[in-house]
Amino acid sequence: MNEVLMSYTLPRPMARPGQQRPVFDARIGSNSFGDLPDWDLSDLYPAPDAPELLRDMAWLETACADFAAKYEGKLAGLSAAEMLDCVAAYEAIDVTAGRIGSYAGLRYYQNTMDSERAKFMADVQDNITNFTTPLVFFSLEFNRLDDGVLAGLTAANADLARYTPVFERMRAMRPHQLSDEMEKYLHDASVVGASAWNKLFDETMAGLMFSVAGEEEELNLEATLNLLTDSDRAKREAASHALAAVFDKHIKLFARVHNTLAKEKEIEDRWRKMPSPQYSRHLANHVEPEVVEALRNAVVAAYPKLSHRYYKLKAKWMGLDRLQTWDRNAPLLTEAPRLVNWAEATETVLSAYAAFDPRMAEIAKPFFTDGWIDAGVKPGKAPGAFAHPTVTTVHPYVMLNYLGKPRDVMTLAHELGHGVHQVLAAGQGELLSSTPLTLAETASVFGEMLTFRKLLDGAKTPAERKTLLAGKVEDMINTVVRQIAFYDFECKLHAARAEGELTPDDINILWMSVQAQSLGEAFDFADGYETFWAYIPHFVHSPFYVYAYAFGDGLVNALYAAYADGLPDFQEKYFDMLKAGGSKHHKELLAPFGLDASDPKFWDKGLSMIAGFIDELEAMED
């Protein structure tokens, strides 16, 4: 079902998926990093068969039916106080559905190969979908209210007026909503549509094993991707070939997943009269298409002074005339391989947060002490990292696959930033707390920047400073350049699919066109790399999500520049922005900092920070 409408007609079981870390092709290694924490999900429910969960599931079924019986066909006649009661009842249902769905989803992500967990999540998803079908009328009927009637209601009741941002986002869908009967059908069918293909993709990826030359045992996806950052070039090459071989073996399945999801989206977009495949994402993000286009154009125009220039410099450092794709995330030759234990990672991030503002570290501490982080690499565990906000009456949970690399410390800083943001935004309540994806990356990328600056300030030698700068530049290129290249790939993929079925080779060609453009002339592309689109989860789970990373990075670079320049009361303004959650538009949130994302020149500020780091690295060569 369409994301914009779905978010206000009760979400699917993983109620609001956590913001995932952008895919960097690397994250893990061995397991001797101290006592890594596991999730304690009992703050949601003690067990799948707990009386509390069974009670809430029964309550949800009754509450949804009662809501429909009380309000369906009657919204136009409600007083302001009655409409507030209606919204509050809806929000209470949202909390319970989100709590149940979050528990089922997080248990599943702990071990996606466990059939009992998969069944439990699927059953929960089916139940919630069935129970909430009677609520589909709400946003549809609400959107049929006369503008003047709604204005009168909100003018008469300040508590109701607080929900105006929710109402505005709902009513943005007015031109795109279908008949009540069709919306109910799409709601019911969602469990066998994109959701089912998502699960097929996740389970397939979790089950893939890779035979890497020189490794004694087969490795899973995370461990194999990790080798792409190994200091041994032969290991990186072997890992790349192993990835390519397995992706190629399954390429027809991955092509089928993408063909089906893109066609399903095209059909629904056509019925909803969406002007482009990207438009529903822009609506969900509460961002104007022209702002995203300005971001995309600014980044593509900056490829030569960012990625192209940096990778030529990296080839020189590595003593190579040309780089291969397995050299992209290679550590510098001057960099001694180093593993960071969990205690050091914890202290590094918390002290960086505390140096900015002690309140930030205090908010972050329970993640480490109360079972809010699941850090270890385990069989069947979902790859990557994310922060999931669950519901505003509980707390967020962070998932990592921590294996001690310096980049894993930055991932911890990133996901913890999401967690802090989610804790602060929870005060807005369930319907207003969820931050648009474009702003959801703000606290995470800012947390990374704080941690990076702390490490950079503590660098003891020019070589250490160079290593830190190069690592940050690579992460920023991965966050900005790589994600915009991903966005362009998706745009091309969905446009091509609208013309007909795509073969694996068709998709491979689209992938290579954006890779060559974004990486530049320093690279050769060995056979097999053309299939590396296959493992990127964002294309499957959240079409066109990826530009949010570049948006967040550019925004944070501009924010950090204001902080570094000594903007008065920066910390208070920053906390106010995070506390706002989804209650304000990006223009309103950025105004106190003197920033405006709708100004095309805004993006050049953030890109200039990356270019400045590369300038410093080039100067070190003189």
Side-chain angles (χ1 to χ4, degrees):
M1 188 169 181
N2 181 275
E3 282 186 47
V4 179
L5 193 59
M6 177 62 92
S7 64
Y8 294 106
T9 56
L10 263 289
R12 286 180 287 224
M14 192 69 172
R16 271 165 298 282
Q19 288 76 28
Q20 286 194 354
R21 178 78 161 156
V23 175
F24 287 174
D25 288 352
R27 287 288 168 229
I28 61 185
S30 105
N31 225 2
S32 52
F33 315 109
D35 190 12
L36 297 178
D38 296 316
W39 278 334
D40 177 2
L41 298 181
S42 63
D43 287 345
L44 292 167
Y45 294 103
D49 58 353
E52 297 91 336
L53 193 151
L54 300 177
R55 175 203 65 204
D56 283 357
M57 191 70 85
W59 179 90
L60 182 64
E61 182 176 18
T62 301
C64 291
D66 289 350
F67 183 92
K70 185 173 183 178
Y71 293 113
E72 188 166 10
K74 303 167 187 172
L75 294 187
L78 297 182
S79 67
E82 289 169 335
M83 182 61 80
L84 179 61
D85 288 342
C86 174
V87 172
Y90 186 91
E91 192 164 29
I93 290 171
D94 198 11
V95 169
T96 299
R99 185 175 191 139
I100 297 169
S102 293
Y103 177 69
L106 292 173
R107 274 190 84 244
Y108 171 71
Y109 286 130
Q110 283 182 303
N111 188 353
T112 62
M113 301 305 290
D114 183 331
S115 57
E116 181 276 324
R117 293 178 188 235
K119 172 180 166 49
F120 177 71
M121 188 177 77
D123 288 345
V124 163
Q125 184 170 5
D126 286 346
N127 285 333
I128 291 180
T129 300
N130 292 335
F131 296 165
T132 57
T133 296
L135 304 183
V136 172
F137 84 90
F138 177 68
S139 61
L140 305 174
E141 189 174 324
F142 191 93
N143 280 350
R144 288 194 287 267
L145 293 177
D146 181 83
D147 288 339
V149 170
L150 181 58
L153 292 173
T154 54
N157 190 304
D159 291 333
L160 183 65
R162 200 175 72 82
Y163 290 96
T164 296
V166 178
F167 301 154
E168 289 176 346
R169 293 195 287 271
M170 288 170 63
R171 290 168 84 79
M173 277 297 296
R174 290 170 84 181
H176 309 292
Q177 69 185 37
L178 306 175
S179 69
D180 292 15
E181 185 177 27
M182 179 63 80
E183 294 290 1
K184 288 178 180 178
Y185 167 76
L186 290 173
H187 180 85
D188 283 350
S190 64
V191 294
V192 292
S195 175
W197 289 97
N198 284 328
K199 280 188 280 190
L200 174 63
F201 175 85
D202 288 343
E203 290 167 5
T204 302
M205 278 296 164
L208 294 183
M209 299 301 291
F210 301 83
S211 298
V212 181
E215 297 294 318
E216 294 181 3
E217 299 179 351
E218 286 190 322
L219 304 176
N220 65 11
L221 177 63
E222 286 279 357
T224 309
L225 290 173
N226 177 66
L227 290 176
L228 295 178
T229 63
D230 198 277
S231 58
D232 185 336
R233 194 174 192 230
K235 285 187 178 182
R236 298 197 304 272
E237 180 177 358
S240 184
H241 291 321
L243 290 164
V246 174
F247 293 158
D248 184 65
K249 181 179 177 182
H250 297 273
I251 202 67
K252 290 184 178 179
L253 171 62
F254 298 134
R256 171 60 46 225
V257 169
H258 282 68
N259 268 291
T260 303
L261 289 173
K263 183 61 179 178
E264 182 192 54
K265 188 176 192 311
E266 185 275 325
I267 292 169
E268 187 169 340
D269 284 349
R270 176 160 32 90
W271 276 74
R272 294 191 182 282
K273 296 182 172 57
M274 294 285 179
S276 72
Q278 303 87 350
Y279 193 76
S280 61
R281 173 63 62 197
H282 302 335
L283 278 179
N285 285 346
H286 323 144
V287 65
E288 299 75 16
E290 56 269 23
V291 172
V292 178
E293 189 66 13
L295 163 64
R296 181 263 171 200
N297 291 342
V299 174
V300 171
Y303 285 172
K305 69 178 183 180
L306 299 181
S307 50
H308 297 187
R309 183 164 63 120
Y310 174 75
Y311 288 127
K312 286 179 182 176
L313 192 59
K314 185 166 187 174
K316 179 181 176 182
W317 292 338
M318 297 180 70
L320 299 171
D321 293 328
R322 309 276 294 172
L323 296 175
Q324 285 289 346
T325 53
W326 53 78
D327 298 318
R328 185 169 59 83
N329 284 327
L332 297 185
L333 296 179
T334 57
E335 183 180 339
R338 177 172 178 264
L339 294 179
V340 182
N341 66 37
W342 181 250
E344 182 183 350
T346 301
E347 195 281 330
T348 298
V349 175
L350 287 179
S351 61
Y353 277 24
F356 170 71
D357 192 297
R359 292 172 293 177
M360 202 161 162
E362 284 300 314
I363 295 168
K365 280 181 182 176
F367 285 85
F368 296 93
T369 59
D370 295 358
W372 299 6
I373 297 178
D374 195 304
V377 179
K378 306 160 196 170
K381 182 177 174 180
F386 64 75
H388 177 54
T390 70
V391 289
T392 54
T393 55
V394 187
H395 57 75
Y397 283 91
V398 163
M399 194 193 83
L400 307 171
N401 277 278
Y402 187 84
L403 281 162
K405 292 201 171 183
R407 273 184 175 164
D408 293 337
V409 180
M410 301 305 289
T411 299
L412 171 61
H414 180 102
E415 300 305 340
L416 204 59
H418 279 309
V420 168
H421 193 175
Q422 291 157 1
V423 169
L424 287 168
Q428 293 290 339
E430 200 66 19
L431 294 180
L432 283 165
S433 64
S434 185
T435 308
L437 295 183
T438 42
L439 293 173
E441 294 301 324
T442 305
S444 55
V445 179
F446 196 84
E448 275 191 83
M449 183 63 79
L450 292 173
T451 305
F452 165 70
R453 292 289 186 174
K454 175 182 170 59
L455 294 172
L456 192 66
D457 290 344
K460 296 179 176 61
T461 65
E464 186 179 354
R465 184 175 180 86
K466 177 180 178 179
T467 297
L468 287 167
L469 277 171
K472 184 59 176 173
V473 167
E474 293 200 7
D475 275 355
M476 294 173 98
I477 287 174
N478 281 330
T479 304
V480 177
V481 170
R482 184 164 166 79
Q483 304 306 316
I484 289 298
F486 283 178
Y487 177 69
D488 278 356
F489 167 72
E490 287 190 274
C491 291
K492 290 185 176 186
L493 175 74
H494 284 262
R497 182 63 182 92
E499 301 298 319
E501 180 86 4
L502 300 176
T503 67
D505 284 344
D506 292 333
I507 303 176
N508 292 348
I509 290 169
L510 297 178
W511 172 256
M512 291 307 299
S513 70
V514 300
Q515 293 301 304
Q517 180 190 23
S518 63
L519 292 175
E521 297 178 356
F523 279 89
D524 288 328
F525 297 92
D527 289 346
Y529 186 69
E530 68 276 5
T531 64
F532 274 45
W533 55 268
Y535 80 93
I536 310 297
H538 305 69
F539 302 155
V540 174
H541 289 288
S542 303
F544 305 106
Y545 178 109
V546 289
Y547 74 74
Y549 292 119
F551 195 109
D553 197 88
L555 190 157
V556 166
N557 289 341
L559 269 180
Y560 195 89
Y563 169 56
D565 290 342
L567 180 72
D569 300 320
F570 183 91
Q571 281 86 339
E572 291 303 324
K573 292 173 181 177
Y574 180 75
F575 275 88
D576 286 344
M577 178 176 65
L578 299 190
K579 289 175 184 176
S583 67
K584 294 180 180 178
H585 187 268
H586 63 77
K587 211 172 184 69
E588 188 179 357
L589 287 172
L590 293 177
F593 303 95
L595 302 173
D596 182 0
S598 63
D599 179 356
K601 295 180 181 178
F602 170 84
W603 301 111
D604 292 333
K605 295 179 183 177
L607 297 173
S608 295
M609 180 177 286
I610 308 174
F613 288 157
I614 300 174
D615 290 342
E616 184 174 346
L617 287 168
E618 285 183 334
M620 290 180 175
E621 298 299 296
D622 298 337

